[in-house]
Amino acid sequence: MFMIDVRRVDMHTHTRCSDGVLSPAALVQKARAAGLSAFSVTDHDTIEGVQEAQETGRDAGMEVIAGVELSVVVEDDDVHLLGYFFDPDDEGLLRHLERGRTDRIRRVKEIVSRLNALGMELSVEEVFEQAGGEAVGRPHIAAALVEAGHVKSEQEAFERYIATGKPAYVARERVSGIDAVDLLHEAGGIAVLAHPGHWISDYVIRTLVEAGLDGIETIHPSHDKMLTGYYTSLAKRFKLLRSGGSDFHGRPNEGERLGAYSIPYPRLERLRRRAHAIQSGLERTS
Ligand code: AMP
Ligand code: FE
Ligand code: FE
Ligand code: ZN
C-alpha cells in the first residue's frame, strides 16, 4: 500500500548552550509537542547541547541530528553556515569551535569596556551569568543591560548600542566560509547556507557553491513566500539540497515558530545521503 510520509523535520534550532532559552531536554519535549518527527540542534559555535538532546530524544522517540551554526565571511559579507552529520569528536572541528568561543569571550570583554566608556556600569561577569552554556554573545549582553536597568528591552540594547555599526559594536574574528565548508566536509559533515534572505547576494552563494556547499535553507521565518520560491529555484539552478527550519530560540516573541517552519522527512534523508557520500569519500582517501 502506498503511504504518504507526513513526518516533518526542523533543521535549525538553538538551546541555552548558545543564545537560546531552553535546555536541550526541554527543547526535545517542545519539538515533540509541536508534532515534529526529527530536528537538529544548531547552536552557534558549540555542540555542547547535542548529546543531551540525543539522549532525551532516544527516550522520547524523537530523532535528533547533530548540528552547529558557524559565523563566517564570504566576499566580505557575514554569512551563517549550518553543519550537520559531522563526527562530534573530529579534532579539526572541535578546535575550530573552541577558537570561535574564545573569540566570543574576547569580544564580550571589548563590548563591555565600550559600554563602560559610554557611562554604563556593567561587568563581564554579569554578562556571563546570562549565558547558559559555552557560547556567549550579544543577546547575553543585551539581557545583562536590561537586568542592570540601562535599557528597557533587549531590542533597545541592540538598537542603541550593540547592533552592527552602533557605538559599542565590536566585530568577531573573520573566518573564511570557504575554509569552513572544507572543515565540515573533513569532519564527515555537510554545509548548508542559513537564512540567505538576510541580504546574502547571489554572488556570495555562487562562491560558496564553488567551494562545495551542499544545501541552502529555503524555509526560514525570515523568508516570505516569494523568497522561499526564489531560493527554491536557486537550489535547482545550483544543484543544492533544500533545507529549512524555525531558527527557534525559545523566546516568547517567537510565537509558535516551532513546528511552523519545517521540511518533509524525505529531504532529511537526502541531506543524510549526501553526508554518507562525503564520509565514504573520506574513508577511501584515508
Ligand atoms: P552574536 O552571535 O553574539 O553576534 O549575536 C547574534 C544574535 O544576536 C543573533 O542570533 C540575534 O539573535 C541577535 N541580534 C543580532 N542583531 C540584532 C538586532 N539588530 N536586534 C535584535 N537582535 C539581534
Ligand atoms: Fe541565534
Ligand atoms: Fe543565523
Ligand atoms: Zn540560528
Side-chain angles (χ1 to χ4, degrees):
M1 195 177 73
F2 179 74
M3 297 275 281
I4 297 170
D5 190 344
V6 294
R7 292 175 294 170
R8 306 293 304 185
V9 185
D10 186 336
M11 294 300 285
H12 192 160
T13 69
H14 296 271
T15 75
R16 68 176 182 208
C17 296
S18 66
D19 59 349
V21 174
L22 300 177
S23 69
L27 183 60
V28 170
Q29 300 305 340
K30 185 118 179 128
R32 195 163 75 149
L36 293 165
S37 293
F39 77 100
S40 180
V41 174
T42 54
D43 277 312
H44 300 275
D45 294 323
T46 179
I47 57 170
E48 189 187 6
V50 169
Q51 200 184 346
E52 178 185 322
Q54 286 181 327
E55 279 164 12
T56 313
R58 263 193 290 278
D59 299 333
M62 168 70 65
E63 183 180 347
V64 179
I65 295 114
V68 71
E69 185 167 14
L70 303 176
S71 307
V72 300
V73 175
V74 183
E75 304 287 349
D76 226 37
D77 281 350
D78 293 313
V79 173
H80 286 178
L81 278 184
L82 295 158
Y84 302 106
F85 306 111
F86 45 76
D87 170 7
D89 297 318
D90 182 81
E91 278 182 30
L93 180 62
L94 291 177
R95 223 178 304 125
H96 179 85
L97 296 177
E98 175 72 43
R99 188 170 156 180
R101 293 194 298 265
T102 306
D103 181 60
R104 284 179 168 280
I105 293 168
R106 185 262 322 160
R107 180 205 202 196
V108 164
K109 289 179 180 164
E110 285 183 31
I111 292 179
V112 166
S113 46
R114 284 192 183 215
L115 292 166
N116 295 153
L118 288 165
M120 274 159 281
E121 217 175 289
L122 187 77
S123 67
V124 171
E125 287 68 36
E126 285 170 89
V127 175
F128 290 158
E129 271 166 31
Q130 297 291 333
E134 288 182 340
V136 59
R138 284 182 292 164
H140 307 118
I141 298 175
L145 282 170
V146 174
E147 184 127 323
H150 296 302
V151 289
K152 288 199 179 60
S153 68
E154 294 175 16
Q155 195 53 41
E156 185 188 343
F158 273 95
E159 278 162 19
R160 287 178 65 183
Y161 304 115
I162 61 174
T164 314
K166 300 296 174 184
Y169 176 75
V170 175
R172 291 188 50 201
E173 186 182 54
R174 295 168 81 76
V175 174
S176 147
I178 294 168
D179 292 350
V181 171
D182 281 344
L183 188 86
L184 287 167
H185 286 164
E186 277 157 26
I190 61 168
V192 171
L193 177 61
H195 41 67
H198 290 197
W199 309 103
I200 304 302
S201 73
D202 290 4
Y203 180 64
V204 163
I205 298 175
R206 186 184 287 275
T207 304
L208 280 167
V209 168
E210 280 163 12
L213 185 73
D214 301 287
I216 186 168
E217 277 192 329
T218 56
I219 309 282
H220 187 272
S222 67
H223 294 173
D224 59 15
K225 218 173 161 182
M226 272 255 293
L227 277 181
T228 296
Y230 178 70
Y231 291 117
T232 300
S233 65
L234 222 129
K236 287 197 180 116
R237 175 142 61 96
F238 288 138
K239 298 195 164 46
L240 291 167
L241 298 168
R242 284 176 288 161
S243 185
S246 65
D247 210 347
F248 181 67
H249 289 74
R251 296 189 194 122
N253 64 357
E254 289 174 337
E256 297 308 305
R257 256 195 208 193
L258 202 67
Y261 297 89
S262 61
I263 59 169
Y265 198 89
R267 271 193 226 166
L268 166 62
E269 288 175 322
R270 267 177 231 133
L271 294 164
R272 197 191 330 262
R273 273 202 298 277
R274 172 67 61 90
H276 286 162
I278 289 166
Q279 288 155 15
S280 36
L282 288 175
E283 276 160 29
R284 270 197 297 279
T285 54
S286 66

